[in-house]
Amino acid sequence: MKPIHLFVPTFRVEECLDEVRECLEKGWPGLGFKTAAFEEAWKAHTGLPYAHFLSSATAGLHLAIRMLKERYRWQDGDEIISTPLTFVSGNHAILYERLRPVFADVDEYLCLDPSSVAERITPRTRAINFVGLGGNTGRLADITRLCRERGLKLILDAAHMTGTRMQGRHVGGEGDVSVFSFHAVKNLPTADAGMICFPDADADAAARRWTWLGIDKDTFARTNSDSSYKWYYDVQHVGFKYHGNSIMAGIGLVSLKYLEQDNAYRRQIADWYDEGLAGAAGIEAVPMSLDCEPARHLYQVQVDRRDDVMVALNQAQIFPGVHYRDNTLYGMYADQPPCPRARRASERIISLPLHVRLDRGDVARVCDTLRSVVRG
Ligand SMILES: Cc1ncc(COP(=O)(O)O)c(C=O)c1O
């Protein structure tokens, strides 16, 4: 029987190879002409005013927090409210900067619940880290309002949200910074890359220094400058080596070209799942916020006896995933306040296979198998 996997990235190989060949033939695979071209294409596609291409979203989340900490003079031990239902990189990023992640509970969308967030605000709260799980916006509009009312910064972890739109506009401009992932299994696949988007030119310019060790002129700009003093640059502060490279940007340019087509097909697959699972007792699909056209990075359902269901699906050559385990189940986050909804979801969620190589027959097989496993 053909195995059906959770994620299988699709690359338009010949077009990607043309992009990579151009980088290699030019002798310029690093930060440079393609990263600049990809940033421009991304801004044109999303309508976001600024974008800086990175080596990963994890780098971007760290950078976002570091830059906000500097700009607003946050102190060690200040708090950022975050979700326990996420990939750990967003929560680790808070700890990298000696700040304290404080978890709030999730809602039916498995995104941060504004009422739980409001309860966890203290005089030391500085920001909210909102994760658009699976491409969903959840109650992002309410969280944005809450941030404005309480003077908090909003970090949008948009790792799953490439192509998500709210009221017709691509997400990413709601708060103080947004970070997208172009990891191989994401909606816009490269191998590993990300994008950080600030709303203002100063922060965007500062981000470029931060991702290049604090150096005020990148190598590409220096090489292409007319000045004979190409080797002169200033280093204004300790920075990181977080910028993206032209090989990844070339692949990203091709993936961006197909993003809308691929996301439309992802939504089609989600519709097939909705139909195939409609009325199935014991299988609850995680709803999408009515506010958004979701990127549909994930199609999640909740079931009882999840681990047994996963084993049975694996026996039928179906290999779903779990996004995510409640982070308080990890030793290092065990001291967080309880988030009962997140804990319960963490024990019940399954991410069904979702990628553009699936066809209607594959989806029907997953639905039929899941229905019969859950029926017992
Ligand atoms: C919600 C979320 N945030 C951040 C990341 C980190 O992305 P990257 O792999 O690009 O560092 C991921 C990756 O899986 C993620 O799912």
Side-chain angles (χ1 to χ4, degrees), residues 54-322:
L54 304 172
S55 53
S56 72
T58 301
L61 290 163
H62 177 212
L63 180 65
I65 290 166
R66 177 55 179 264
M67 288 181 60
L68 290 174
K69 188 181 185 204
E70 293 267 324
R71 186 166 179 180
Y72 297 105
R73 299 175 192 280
W74 297 347
Q75 301 301 310
D76 288 1
D78 282 350
E79 296 166 4
I80 297 186
I81 297 180
S82 186
T83 168
L85 216 57
T86 188
F87 187 54
V88 287
S89 71
N91 291 326
H92 282 9
I94 299 170
L95 290 170
Y96 293 159
E97 288 304 321
R98 299 174 304 284
L99 299 165
R100 211 164 81 76
V102 173
F103 293 165
D105 212 346
V106 298
D107 55 18
E108 69 273 30
Y109 304 113
L110 307 185
C111 295
L112 276 178
D113 177 353
S115 57
S116 175
V117 170
E119 282 167 14
R120 300 210 170 155
I121 295 174
T122 74
R124 295 205 73 175
T125 307
R126 300 289 172 256
I128 297 174
N129 175 46
F130 185 92
V131 178
L133 197 73
N136 207 345
T137 54
R139 293 190 169 82
L140 176 58
D142 294 338
I143 293 281
T144 306
R145 207 170 307 119
L146 184 66
C147 282
R148 227 175 278 133
E149 285 165 9
R150 305 296 292 266
L152 304 175
K153 303 299 161 202
L154 175 60
I155 300 157
L156 180 63
D157 177 342
H160 299 180
M161 301 179 101
T162 302
T164 292
R165 288 186 171 74
M166 268 169 97
Q167 278 116 35
R169 284 169 57 180
H170 198 285
V171 293
E174 296 71 19
D176 297 272
V177 57
S178 55
V179 177
F180 295 84
S181 173
F182 307 135
H183 178 270
V185 303
K186 298 297 196 296
N187 293 38
L188 191 159
T190 64
D192 244 326
M195 194 74 90
I196 191 162
C197 301
F198 284 100
D200 63 288
D202 286 350
D204 181 73
R208 289 164 198 279
R209 288 192 297 275
W210 274 105
T211 60
W212 178 225
L213 299 153
I215 295 171
D216 70 349
K217 253 182 260 162
D218 70 58
T219 315
F220 187 66
R222 282 190 285 126
T223 305
N224 288 291
S225 122
D226 291 335
S227 158
S228 44
Y229 291 95
K230 291 179 197 282
W231 62 92
Y232 273 75
Y233 56 74
D234 190 18
V235 189
Q236 301 176 348
H237 56 80
V238 174
F240 309 113
K241 183 77 163 58
Y242 278 175
H243 63 76
N245 67 60
S246 285
I247 304 267
M248 291 303 116
I251 297 172
L253 276 167
V254 178
S255 292
L256 181 59
K257 220 165 90 183
Y258 292 94
L259 175 69
E260 293 309 318
Q261 178 185 321
D262 287 356
N263 278 357
Y265 191 57
R266 283 173 174 275
R267 287 191 286 274
Q268 171 67 79
I269 291 171
D271 289 346
W272 288 334
Y273 274 129
D274 283 343
E275 281 169 36
L277 298 173
I283 305 172
E284 298 155 36
V286 174
M288 287 289 120
S289 166
L290 295 178
D291 269 0
C292 74
E293 181 184 52
R296 269 299 183 189
H297 178 57
L298 300 175
Y299 186 95
Q300 293 176 287
V301 293
Q302 299 205 46
V303 296
D304 290 337
R305 294 186 308 103
R306 191 270 317 282
D307 292 356
D308 296 339
V309 170
M310 290 288 269
V311 170
L313 290 172
N314 288 177
Q315 279 161 359
Q317 293 294 294
I318 294 168
F319 299 98
V322 171

